[in-house]
Amino acid sequence: MSRPIARVLTLLELLQSGGLRTVAELAARLDVDERTVRRYVDHLVDLDIPVESVRGRYGGYRLAPGYRMPPLMLSDDEALAVLLGLVAGRRSGLLPATGTASETAAAKIRRVLPERLRHRLDAVLGSLAFTAAPGTSAAPESAVLLPLADAVHHRRPVSIRYVAADGRRSERTLHPYGLVAHAGRWYVTGEDRTAGEDRMFRLDRMLGVRTLPGSFEPPAGPDPAQRVLRGLATAPYRHEVTVRVQGTAEHLQDRLPAGVAIVAELPPEGGGGAEPEPWSRVDMRVERLDWLPAVLASLDRPFVIERPDELRALVADFAARLADSARRRPPHA
């Protein structure tokens, strides 16, 4: 493909991404002067592509509103990225819960690809294997996800119809701060105006979303992802665990399950003989304790159990099993 034609197609892709593009911006992206940009625009107009010219200080070019582009023009890398993204999204359970949406989208993309590229991509997808099992689907409906995303972007309140874990239904007014995907589920975090506090909600438990008039200003503080992780770590569970571990908070956060542990570095104790590393307090709320001894052992750091006492017995039993296994000898041939 000659270089001018390639640049005209690149210009079309830039205009397809939406919004108004200034001539200076387009010239910089295409690595040409502004007069050449105007000539490329004329080429697109000659192809019956409705490029609008907006005059003024902040003027530029844009595609006419409502114009639908002809079938996709994807390079090899772009087509592979799109199809692998659909496969990965389907396996993770994060695609919208519209049944066969990912399969039909992939089929439409394949239909507009050149035969050579289609066969090569089929070879990749047909020979691809995964080491992890597919995630359990807890994906939201598009009718829930899309209006929530729009409300987050434009900072508009919404009314949600929600089903709690115990089956109770309610209608709540929410100021949504952000959407978060975590462990195969979608969450929205924001101020629950009905309860008067910050909360998070699972999108797959929402029966409907309705945008309300007005706007709001999100508060300063943790970003939505941190709010969700903290909410998961502080949710009510059967056991409340507190352990002191020698190590920095940053080191321990990288080695403990996200959304389970809250780590806070402790101030150094007084005295001349300072420890080589600080100690941190780890708080966890869990349904079962049996998996924690292995997690604590994997930290390879000194620790002190503050609560519960049942965890001490489990750690001692785990250590005894390890010591017993270390003493065993392989049988003689």
Side-chain angles (χ1 to χ4, degrees):
M1 183 181 293
S2 66
R3 198 161 181 80
I5 295 177
R7 283 175 171 156
V8 171
L9 293 177
T10 302
L11 171 62
L12 178 57
E13 290 178 358
L14 292 172
L15 296 176
Q16 271 187 269
S17 63
L20 182 68
R21 302 278 186 162
T22 65
V23 177
E25 177 189 359
L26 293 171
R29 295 291 298 271
L30 298 172
D31 195 23
V32 297
D33 56 39
E34 295 186 4
R35 179 179 296 179
T36 304
V37 170
R38 295 186 178 92
R39 191 168 69 249
Y40 290 166
V41 170
D42 290 339
H43 291 332
L44 294 178
V45 173
D46 289 340
L47 294 171
D48 293 328
I49 296 174
V51 181
E52 293 183 340
S53 175
V54 179
R55 299 185 179 277
R57 181 180 179 183
Y58 301 103
Y61 293 106
R62 67 187 178 195
L63 289 179
Y67 177 71
R68 287 185 173 272
M69 296 301 299
L72 294 173
M73 293 176 291
L74 298 176
S75 68
D76 292 17
D77 288 343
E78 291 169 338
L80 182 60
V82 170
L83 290 178
L84 287 180
L86 289 171
V87 172
R90 184 169 66 247
R91 288 185 62 86
S92 67
L94 291 179
L95 288 180
T98 52
T100 60
S102 60
E103 288 86 351
T104 55
K108 290 178 180 178
I109 292 172
R110 290 177 70 258
R111 279 200 299 271
V112 300
L113 295 176
E115 184 177 2
R116 173 195 60 82
L117 179 54
R118 185 167 65 248
H119 289 327
R120 295 180 67 184
L121 293 177
D122 286 344
V124 172
L125 298 178
S127 60
L128 183 62
F130 294 87
T131 57
T136 55
S137 178
E141 300 288 342
S142 298
V144 167
L145 176 60
L146 295 180
L148 267 179
D150 185 73
V152 169
H153 181 73
H154 293 100
R155 299 176 179 177
R156 298 195 182 282
V158 294
S159 174
I160 63 172
R161 290 184 292 119
Y162 195 72
V163 180
D166 58 6
R168 287 181 300 159
R169 300 191 175 201
S170 61
E171 185 162 350
R172 323 185 77 81
T173 298
L174 179 69
H175 285 182
Y177 302 154
L179 296 171
V180 179
H182 173 71
R185 291 191 174 96
W186 286 86
Y187 298 87
V188 62
T189 178
E191 183 187 1
D192 180 358
R193 302 288 291 178
T194 307
E197 61 184 9
D198 284 358
R199 293 189 59 190
M200 65 178 188
F201 297 92
R202 279 174 48 175
L203 269 64
D204 59 299
R205 290 181 177 165
M206 291 187 183
L207 302 177
V209 175
R210 180 168 51 89
T211 305
L212 300 176
S215 62
F216 67 92
E217 191 65 29
D223 61 34
Q226 291 300 318
R227 290 177 185 271
V228 166
L229 291 177
R230 180 169 290 273
L232 292 172
T234 56
Y237 286 96
R238 183 179 177 186
H239 299 284
E240 294 187 359
V241 177
T242 302
V243 181
R244 293 181 180 232
V245 185
Q246 188 176 22
T248 64
E250 182 181 6
H251 175 85
L252 298 177
Q253 284 169 343
D254 290 339
R255 287 157 178 80
L256 290 169
V260 172
I262 296 178
V263 184
E265 202 163 302
L266 298 172
E269 296 183 0
E275 295 278 5
E277 269 195 296
W279 286 72
S280 295
R281 176 189 174 104
V282 179
D283 289 300
M284 294 178 279
R285 287 172 169 81
V286 296
E287 284 295 322
R288 295 175 17 246
L289 297 172
D290 54 356
W291 58 277
L292 283 177
V295 171
L296 294 174
S298 69
L299 297 177
D300 196 25
R301 297 297 175 95
F303 63 85
V304 178
I305 298 172
E306 292 190 1
R307 62 174 180 172
D309 288 335
E310 303 98 290
L311 183 57
R312 301 178 189 276
L314 291 173
V315 170
D317 183 61
F318 181 75
R321 293 200 308 273
L322 289 179
D324 182 61
S325 296
R327 287 191 294 267
R328 293 181 182 176
R329 299 287 181 179
H332 296 291

